[in-house]
Amino acid sequence: MCGIVGYIGDGNAYNVLVGGLHRLEYRGYDSAGIALVDNTGKLNIYKTKGKVNSLEAFCKDKNTESKIGIAHTRWATHGEPSDYNAHPHFSEDGNLALVHNGTIENYKVLKEALIEHGCHFHSETDTEVLVQLIEYIRVHNDCSMLEAVREALKQVVGAYAIAVIEKGDPDCIVAARKSSPLVVGVGDNEFFLASDASPFVEFTDNVVYLKDEEIVLIRRGEPLKLYSLDNKENEIDVRKLEMSISQLEKGGYPHFMLKEIFEQPSTLHDCIRGRVVNDGKYITLNGVNDNKETFMSARRIIFVACGTSWHSALIGKYLIQDMCRIPVEVEYASEFRYSHPVLTPHDIVIAISQSGETADTLAAIKIARGMGAFVYGISNVVGSSIPRETHSGTYIHVGPEIGVASTKAFTGQVMVLTMLALTIAELKNTMPKEDIERIAQWTLRMPELVEKVLGLAPDIERLSLIYTYARNFLYLGRGYSYPVALEGALKLKEISYIHAEGYPAAEMKHGPIALIDAEMPSVIIAPKDHLYEKIVSNVQQVKARGGNIIAIVTEGDDEIRKIADHVLEVPEVPECLTPIITSVPLQLLSYYIAINKGKDVDMPRNLAKSVTVE
Ligand code: F6R
């Protein structure tokens, strides 16, 4: 949540930082700010409520000359979005400026102590407490900023990624992280710092991912220095960045979300590449074959995830139970962590997270590890925290997902889960070899079939006009289509702000059926699978109550066509692969409805891409 950028070098810091903030805006966009030290040693801090564009407008007539600076785009946790709560925050004497991503849990105690020592505060944020504390320590201990940061962080309970600059030392940035991401870009005579590498991908591909409780000293003209909180010098591990600038641009699409929906044929291809090989005869997934015994002897699998990733996990449950005959539970990471979970070393916990940074999922992983379970991670962002915290895992390889509403990550996760289930089934011999091979061959066809589904876009755009002003939607599905219904409803809610409920179709008659009337459309996911006849009767039940029906059906389905008001036909695929095919029209439907309503689909209100706070 919140994005941090820092720069030190010979270039124009303002331009680098503002460009970087635009790239990080997906992380939060309720206010933005920048701190720069000019060549006279003056610390200029500019911040405004609103998006990065508002900050740029605000800075138009300001002095933005500088070769060092830090900047921030905010997703509010403590204190409403406002100019004064925006970052950077500064020490009372105006010597330090600091940006922060995360939450300082003990900020109230620290604040009270500082007030007793005569400090005055200008904001309601936990962040201001941190910068005042660092300066207080620096002045009272007569120490360097690096030492003061270290001492202050020892007193802090919570999560942080921070960057600090000092008026009197325009050649240095001190930064640190704990449970919130931070990466340093190492260029020629310049350094970059950011919550992820996207702000500096065009400047350098040499990166250093900070570890938890690591402090970095970035000094102009000198090599980086990394320290632990107890002041041991750590080794610098410079990695090569796997990200290209074109992945971060809209590539001619009006929105990242639409680009990412249309990218799915190629992201699915990337996701499968090198994993389903030899025409489906061989499947290999990182971290599974090298932990064969663990997967073969697992007594139970527990998924932990949030939001869209939780919906993928639910599909994972169907896949693993069907193919591997292992009992599976699916938990919201936020509930799991406080539910006194009962785990044993015979359990495998699988954490799914696009960002690899979701705080609740990370906390669930720590609990699971602590209880002796084997933890496997499925994430998208290389170098993020979850792959580091798990025993083993794999990436979905769908490239940076920038639209706040997850689309290509969802289909990538489901594809990885399919390959995971097939791999375990093969190890455990729970499925005939020819069935495994047949499904593996179908996975190879998914890019082409999703491409075909995308051809429905013009029809869906027209259809969206009919339902743009509906106030409520019901999404129904059974079996593998039930999580798809949940996901379809979430997509609509988050970008169009229309209330939508996903429900298991058969459960509808136990309550939600009372809501059905001509005003409330039902989207029914009804591909030809082993529950097809059952869902046909659910379609009839909705129709009998005067409801309007949009049905997602398999090509050539005449039965539902006769009952539903609108049908969207998708290609026939094996049942376990239907979620990948049926979720795509739902992504498009929510996109077009939101566009018709004039909503900002890439930055929906109150949301942010990665939720690094509880
Ligand atoms: C919805 C969406 C969120 C995320 C959730 C978990 O479109 O994007 O619901 O799925 O915040 O995020 P990750 O997968 O990064 O852990």
Side-chain angles (χ1 to χ4, degrees), residues 305-311 352-359 361 386 401 403-407 409 413 487 490-491 494 607-611:
C306 302
T308 287
S309 298
W310 187 89
H311 298 153
I352 308 181
S353 171
Q354 186 285 131
S355 61
E357 297 293 348
T358 300
T361 311
I386 286 178
E401 189 179 65
V404 164
S406 190
T407 52
Q413 288 166 345
E487 175 58 10
L490 178 64
K491 285 290 87 87
E494 62 185 339
L607 293 177
K609 186 76 187 154
S610 80
V611 185

Side-chain angles (χ1 to χ4, degrees), residues 295-296 298-301 317 320-328 348 424 428:
F295 279 94
M296 285 171 73
R299 298 215 185 126
R300 188 171 61 144
I301 288 180
K317 169 179 171 154
I320 289 175
Q321 289 195 167
D322 268 0
M323 297 184 189
C324 320
R325 307 305 298 142
I326 302 174
V328 179
I348 295 181
I424 303 173
K428 285 182 60 104

Side-chain angles (χ1 to χ4, degrees), residues 21 73 85 121 141 144 187 198 218 230 262 299 314 334 381-382 385 387 424 475 510 546:
L21 286 184
T73 175
N85 283 333
F121 286 83
N141 295 5
S144 69
S198 60
I218 308 172
D230 52 5
F262 273 85
R299 298 215 185 126
L314 202 51
S334 53
V381 178
V382 177
S385 301
I424 303 173
Y475 283 70
H510 300 287

Side-chain angles (χ1 to χ4, degrees), residues 201-216:
V201 64
E202 65 264 55
F203 301 113
T204 181
D205 61 355
N206 294 319
V207 293
V208 177
Y209 295 102
L210 258 62
K211 298 193 190 79
D212 262 0
E213 303 201 337
E214 231 171 19
I215 305 181
V216 62

Side-chain angles (χ1 to χ4, degrees), residues 42-61:
K42 190 160 179 273
L43 177 62
N44 293 309
I45 299 179
Y46 308 121
K47 45 192 197 171
T48 54
K49 183 177 167 185
K51 295 189 176 160
V52 179
N53 286 340
S54 313
L55 176 69
E56 280 183 281
F58 181 74
C59 289
K60 259 214 160 90
D61 55 352

